[in-house]
Each structure stands twice: as structure tokens, then as C-alpha cells.
Amino acid sequence: MIVWLNGTFGAGKTTTAHELTATLSDARLFDAEQVGYMLRHALTSVRVTDFQDHPPWRALVVATARELLDYLGGTLVIPQTVLVERYWAEISAGLAAAGIPVRHFVLHTDRATLVRRIETDTKEESAGALQWRMDHLTPYEEALPWLSRAAEVVDTTHTPPAEVARHVAGRLGRVPGPPNVASANSNRAVD
């Protein structure tokens, strides 16, 4: 099984993914961004602004996930922003064709909270990286309608990552979620 944590930068995907892998005994983190880094040196002649624009990235994420699950079993937790609906359709179709069940969650928070989190992130070292994250807020907001249809939306605005992870695990039927957190496919976010 794959648990895909989507959402824009600053929503809490990476921290929640680490909490979730600690919560689920059979879970491992798969950072699909590393596939993009691997491809950069080979695809320098093809100019794109995001490695997700390379078709090999999408195909290799599917192939790598399939190979990891065949080898290790269990659950892969993938914290990866995908804002292009066509790319998500391609990835999810590839995973479905491989017989891999996917639970897709969008970790969501309001813009003001995202800006504050991005600006105060002590892990990002360069101003360019911070600006790159800021530049993706509007594309995320534009993608939110299709993301809300394709995934279960979990509002992380006032919810710590450990509680978000418990909630996601509860939605998977693995542990009970906290009583004040609810999520559904109905475009409703967690309060």
C-alpha cells in the first residue's frame, strides 16, 4: 500500500510522514523527490522548471515504488507535492496497473499559515529555496479543486504533525484517529 501525502510546501507533509512511519509498524518513507535528483544529471539538455515535468520521473516513481513494495512489502509513505492533475492521473494509473492500493491525502492549511511556516522554516538555507516555495502557493490554490476531488483533505492549520499522522493512520483503519479530527472525500477539511 502507498500513503501519498500531497499538499503544498509548508503544509507539514515531511514531518507528518516521519510521524506516520513511526506510527505504522510496517511503513517506510519513500522520498520521490530523490528520483528527480537522480535524473537531473542525465536530463540537463531538456529544460524544465520542475523535474516532475520529465515523463521519466513519473514512470520511475511508479517503478521504484513497485520494486520497493515487491522487495519489502508493507506500506510506503510518500510525502510529495503533485499539483498537475495530469501528472497525478499518470502516477495513480501506473500504481493501479501495478496492483498497488493508494490512499491519497492532501495536507492543507490556509495561506497565511503557509507563508508563516515557509518564512520561519529553519531547515531551508537559501533565499531562492524560500522564494521557490512561496511561488507555489498560487498554483497550489489553483490545484485545490481537483486535489479535493482526488484525495482526502486534512486541515493541518491548527493540528500538530503527530496528531495529523494519528488521524491518517485512523483513516487507514490502523489506529483510532483523535476524536476532534475528521476527514472525508467530500472536500471537507479537518477542523
Side-chain angles (χ1 to χ4, degrees):
M1 161 185 258
I2 289 175
V3 178
W4 196 291
L5 301 178
N6 206 338
T8 197
F9 310 95
K13 295 181 307 298
T14 301
T15 307
T16 298
H18 286 287
E19 293 282 350
L20 190 58
T21 57
T23 300
L24 304 176
S25 62
D26 69 341
R28 291 171 180 80
L29 185 68
F30 170 39
D31 185 352
E33 200 163 291
Q34 296 300 319
V35 175
Y37 296 145
M38 177 190 72
L39 290 172
R40 282 189 175 160
H41 74 279
L43 299 173
T44 56
S45 63
V46 183
R47 305 293 291 162
V48 298
T49 57
D50 188 326
F51 57 73
Q52 291 185 11
D53 296 333
H54 292 300
W57 178 81
R58 300 183 300 275
L60 285 171
V61 165
V62 170
T64 305
R66 184 189 68 238
E67 290 296 325
L68 286 171
L69 287 170
D70 285 349
Y71 183 62
L72 300 168
T75 300
L76 288 182
V77 177
I78 304 177
Q80 180 67 49
T81 300
V82 178
L83 300 181
V84 178
E85 186 174 13
R86 179 172 52 90
Y87 295 173
W88 175 253
E90 188 177 328
I91 291 166
S92 59
L95 294 169
I100 301 170
V102 177
R103 291 294 297 272
H104 185 197
F105 295 89
V106 171
L107 304 189
H108 173 77
T109 190
D110 61 76
R111 187 181 190 99
T113 302
L114 288 168
V115 169
R116 188 185 79 254
R117 287 178 183 175
I118 292 168
E119 289 177 342
T120 59
D121 186 354
T122 58
K123 295 176 194 162
E124 286 296 336
E125 297 178 14
S126 74
L130 293 175
Q131 187 58 52
W132 191 85
R133 293 170 78 191
M134 291 289 202
D135 291 345
H136 283 78
L137 294 179
T138 298
Y140 167 71
E141 290 166 346
E142 292 169 349
L144 195 52
W146 79 259
L147 286 168
S148 296
R149 290 188 305 274
E152 298 174 57
V153 177
V154 179
D155 191 321
T156 66
T157 305
H158 303 293
T159 309
E163 196 171 323
V164 174
R166 279 181 28 107
H167 171 72
V168 169
R171 296 294 297 165
L172 299 172
R174 305 285 282 276
V175 297
N180 64 336
V181 178
S183 172
N185 282 323
S186 65
N187 301 342
R188 202 178 60 143
V190 173
D191 298 316

